[in-house]
Amino acid sequence: MKYVLLIHEDHANYKDEEGWNEIIRRHEAFGEAHASAIVGGEGLNGPETATTLHRKGEETMVHDGPFAEAREQLGGFYLVEVASLDEAMAIARDIPFAGDGSVEIRPCIDEG
Amino acid sequence: MADSLDLAETVRGKRLRIVAALSAHFGNVELAESAFAEACVRAAETRSPPQDWAAWLYAVAQRIAIDSLRHSRVVRAHAEAATSFDEEVSVSERSMIPDRRLALFFACCHPAIDIASRVALALSTICGFSAKQISRACLLSPAAVSQRLVRAKKKLAGSGIMFEIPDSRFFAERLESVLCTIEIAYSQAHASSDPDGKQALLGRQTLELVDILATLMPGNAQVNALAAALWFSEARRPARRDAAGKMIPLEDQDPQLWNRPMLARARDYYGQIDTAQDASLRTLQADIQALWCSRRQQSDPAPWNRVLARYDRMIAIRDSAFIRLNQVVAIHKLQGAAAGLREFEKLPRAALEGSSAYHAVGAELLSHTQRVPEAIQAYDTAIGLQEGSAERAWLIAQRDALTLRTPP
């Protein structure tokens, strides 16, 4: 089963270069440890770079900013392929964080 | 006539087991339940009753489930996986219905499912209680319980929760989740001493759940310890309040009023654990319950000495504010109020101040150390936090007795 692990955290945690390099190094270690399960993933630029399109009926509105204004924002994701939710949760537990944050574990639709 | 009786009997007796087997096979409780219901309809209509209704229902429900999966594009993969055995379904050969109830139990109590839904789900799929029966034992309406069950079943079906007994990597954590689900259900049941209200009903339902778990996991010390503690505790319900509806503290209860068959059941479970060899929070808790329930009559002394020794060992395993609170009570009884109060003041207030018991213990210690105005204040706080009517009545009586002692 495939799962997306959506990483939500405060982008401000990575303001300084040292913190940034540190988290990159830890993500690399995480990637190596779970290489057999990880299918893909990316880190995202900050929410200040986000553009959101709102669709209402026939109309589309462009919004300068992320989908929802919140302290914790989507900061990156992994796509993993594992046998069960237990395994997805075990991998999600190992995702590195600089401070507080959350990982939303979402199963992908199984197209067979 | 005889056949329809047979059918009704089979449905009553085998439904849970058949639905559990189907649920585990398809990884989908909702599908299993609706396929079984449809199979029952077909059974009532069939003109050639089979030798073995259970095997017939199981095989027919399997086919119905596979057909319905074929119609659903999203879960096509499961249907393909299941096809192989569809073709070889032969009713006469399928009289063995695998017992998958433990796998279902683990799935329903998965930590990814909301705790309140876990309790409802387990009561529904493992014990077979209806939404209406479950709602009578909690604060929700039948409709709210049904809604919760539907949502939880969708999560079970779509999130990759395995309907299997977890392997060694996840076993301990998942068993903990099963045991916690039962403990939380029971702690709600125990919160009130009402002999025949919602809580008493939830208590009985929870005991049924723990009995099934113990049957499915014979020899597991954690499970036996939990079952023993729950049965001991529930056996005391008839002695927990007086005729006026006021709580009677454990040490003042009349052991003659305890439920003897329940105590016997508790001792059966307790006899299967060895607390010396397998000391854990749960086995020590069962030990404490067994100590209290070893009293035969009101004049027998309370076992505070040995109870305190168990609390000490529990704290050595895991330092918890609530265990420390219990330890303080034992210290008070054994070494006096001054010693108790010294220990009470070391308790982590922040972790306990939302609990009525914390303030009640403090009030009693203060009242026995001549600090009556503070004691009255603490009783007031405890009363404000207490939801059980019998417990409130007792706290109010304690406070009022102090108020009488102090001139305004």
Side-chain angles (χ1 to χ4, degrees):
Chain A
M1 225 171 150
K2 278 190 196 146
Y3 292 86
V4 186
L5 311 180
L6 299 159
I7 304 164
H8 290 84
E9 59 188 323
D10 188 347
H11 209 70
N13 292 341
Y14 304 115
K15 265 189 193 142
D16 64 299
E17 204 183 314
E18 208 174 303
W20 180 251
N21 291 337
E22 164 71 8
I23 200 73
I24 294 294
R25 194 190 57 71
R26 286 168 64 200
H27 270 284
E28 280 167 3
F30 166 81
E32 275 167 37
H34 296 290
S36 59
I38 294 173
V39 180
E42 297 292 344
L44 307 178
N45 277 333
E48 69 281 1
T49 65
T51 308
T52 305
L53 297 185
H54 291 286
R55 171 69 65 89
K56 254 200 180 131
E58 292 300 303
E59 225 179 319
T60 301
M61 279 156 300
V62 179
H63 167 67
D64 174 9
F67 165 67
E69 298 291 346
R71 198 176 53 77
E72 285 186 2
Q73 288 285 344
L74 183 63
F77 67 91
Y78 283 99
L79 179 63
V80 298
E81 184 154 21
V82 289
S84 68
L85 178 60
D86 286 328
E87 290 182 18
M89 285 169 71
I91 294 174
R93 244 176 224 140
D94 287 349
I95 289 179
F97 280 97
D100 298 341
S102 15
V103 182
E104 184 178 335
I105 304 166
R106 287 286 288 271
C108 300
I109 292 173
D110 185 359
E111 289 288 354
Chain B
M1 191 61 195
D3 287 321
S4 65
L5 270 179
D6 275 358
L7 174 61
E9 194 57 40
T10 304
V11 170
R12 214 176 2 259
K14 296 278 175 65
R15 176 176 68 94
L16 288 171
R17 189 161 168 152
I18 297 174
V19 173
L22 294 165
S23 299
H25 184 83
F26 293 102
N28 189 331
V29 177
E30 221 176 3
L31 178 70
E33 287 174 345
S34 66
F36 182 75
E38 174 63 25
C40 289
V41 171
R42 291 194 199 172
E45 288 165 353
T46 186
R47 291 204 192 121
S48 46
Q51 291 273 310
D52 181 346
W53 271 120
W56 190 94
L57 286 167
Y58 181 55
V60 170
Q62 266 183 350
R63 274 192 223 137
I64 294 167
I66 290 164
D67 284 346
S68 105
L69 281 176
R70 286 218 176 98
H71 288 121
S72 134
R73 197 182 59 87
V74 177
V75 270
R76 205 173 45 205
H78 286 273
E80 275 157 17
T83 317
S84 54
F85 91 359
D86 171 40
E87 267 126 36
E88 58 199 46
V89 165
S90 148
V91 172
S92 58
E93 285 166 25
R94 294 218 142 256
S95 51
M96 274 298 287
I97 300 161
D99 188 354
R100 303 293 300 276
R101 287 175 301 165
L102 186 56
L104 182 62
F105 214 134
F106 271 100
C108 289
C109 295
H110 195 282
I113 292 175
D114 167 59
I115 180 73
S117 302
R118 262 185 250 165
V119 174
L121 205 51
L123 289 175
S124 153
T125 63
I126 306 296
C127 301
F129 292 117
S130 67
K132 198 169 165 189
Q133 286 172 311
I134 296 168
S135 77
R136 281 197 213 112
C138 67
L139 292 169
L140 299 166
S141 67
V145 171
S146 301
Q147 204 177 18
R148 191 167 279 197
L149 286 172
V150 168
R151 235 177 58 200
K153 286 172 197 167
K154 295 221 186 302
K155 172 103 188 227
L156 266 181
S159 61
I161 291 173
M162 290 290 118
F163 285 66
E164 277 160 22
I165 297 160
D167 66 35
S168 58
R169 285 175 303 165
F170 304 113
F171 187 83
E173 190 193 339
R174 296 283 305 278
L175 177 61
E176 191 55 32
S177 188
V178 171
L179 297 170
C180 281
T181 302
I182 296 173
E183 275 165 352
I184 286 168
Y186 188 75
S187 71
Q188 288 167 4
H190 189 72
S192 159
S193 54
D194 193 339
D196 24 51
K198 282 177 184 299
Q199 282 89 352
L201 184 59
L202 179 60
R204 287 200 294 278
Q205 293 182 352
T206 312
L207 290 178
E208 195 171 325
L209 203 52
V210 82
D211 272 356
I212 296 173
L213 183 65
T215 318
L216 296 172
M217 297 187 78
N220 185 294
Q222 294 294 302
V223 174
N224 281 327
L226 178 60
L230 263 45
W231 278 96
F232 275 130
S233 178
E234 195 60 17
R236 296 195 305 266
R237 189 179 285 273
R240 284 175 64 196
R241 57 164 68 183
D242 63 17
K246 192 176 74 180
M247 177 189 91
I248 303 174
L250 179 48
E251 63 180 318
D252 301 329
Q253 284 174 15
D254 179 1
Q256 301 285 334
L257 296 176
W258 292 339
N259 182 315
R260 282 166 198 284
M262 283 187 168
L263 286 178
R265 186 74 152 266
R267 287 198 188 98
D268 274 352
Y269 285 121
Y270 183 65
Q272 294 173 50
I273 56 176
D274 179 355
T275 42
Q277 205 198 358
D278 197 354
S280 67
L281 293 182
R282 282 194 187 87
T283 53
L284 288 164
Q285 189 63 52
D287 229 11
I288 291 171
Q289 293 286 346
L291 284 171
W292 279 112
C293 291
S294 64
R295 292 169 66 232
R296 306 247 163 216
Q297 56 221 354
Q298 236 160 344
S299 56
D300 286 350
W304 286 116
N305 234 323
R306 284 174 295 165
V307 166
L308 177 60
R310 303 304 185 284
Y311 283 131
D312 291 344
R313 288 175 66 191
M314 285 169 88
I315 288 167
I317 295 171
R318 191 170 74 202
D319 197 349
S320 126
F322 281 93
I323 302 172
R324 280 197 181 271
L325 179 61
N326 283 307
Q327 189 189 37
V328 165
V329 175
I331 291 171
H332 170 202
K333 302 292 177 182
L334 290 164
Q335 299 163 23
L341 192 59
R342 273 197 303 278
E343 292 304 312
F344 181 82
E345 279 161 355
K346 294 183 202 158
L347 291 173
R349 193 183 168 89
L352 293 165
E353 65 185 350
S355 135
S356 173
Y358 170 70
H359 298 282
V361 169
E364 192 170 346
L365 290 165
L366 290 163
S367 77
H368 286 113
T369 46
Q370 316 316 318
R371 290 162 68 178
V372 174
E374 288 162 273
I376 292 173
Q377 216 174 16
Y379 273 126
D380 282 334
T381 313
I383 292 162
L385 290 166
Q386 182 55 252
E387 283 169 18
S389 62
E391 290 71 14
R392 272 177 70 97
W394 182 80
L395 289 168
I396 290 168
Q398 298 297 108
R399 182 200 58 193
D400 291 352
L402 281 185
T403 318
L404 288 177
R405 268 167 51 189
T406 37

